[in-house]
Amino acid sequence: MTANKVLQSIEAPGGGRCVDIFRRPDGSWGFEEYRRDEEDGRGWFPVGFHQERSFSDRPAAEQAAYRAVSWLGEL
């Protein structure tokens, strides 16, 4: 199975959250919001549960991410 290819990762101020915009092997686009705790060395955890949403192009995925993830609009 081929993995999704992350083409943009937008990090929140403070570095505790990020949103990845990615392209799937089938050509569709998606996004996901992640969180990490600095004191926990296990890395990033999905918190938005948006990864199954599918978009036909990158701009549509980006627009949906900005609507769904409140802190993105504050950047």
Side-chain angles (χ1 to χ4, degrees):
M1 184 172 145
T2 306
N4 297 334
K5 182 176 183 179
V6 175
L7 296 170
Q8 183 178 15
S9 187
I10 307 163
E11 195 167 311
R17 291 188 181 251
C18 78
V19 170
D20 287 350
I21 307 293
F22 56 84
R23 188 165 192 183
R24 295 184 185 90
D26 69 2
S28 67
W29 291 81
F31 72 94
E32 183 57 87
E33 180 183 13
Y34 295 91
R35 175 190 69 121
R36 73 171 167 191
D37 297 319
E38 289 187 30
E39 64 276 358
D40 182 350
R42 291 182 290 169
W44 294 95
F45 298 94
V47 294
F49 305 104
H50 302 287
Q51 60 196 1
E52 298 301 320
R53 296 176 65 186
S54 184
F55 304 91
S56 60
D57 56 32
R58 183 176 179 166
E62 290 173 346
Q63 290 171 5
Y66 275 87
R67 285 191 304 269
V69 180
S70 61
W71 60 262
L72 278 177
E74 298 170 5
L75 295 180

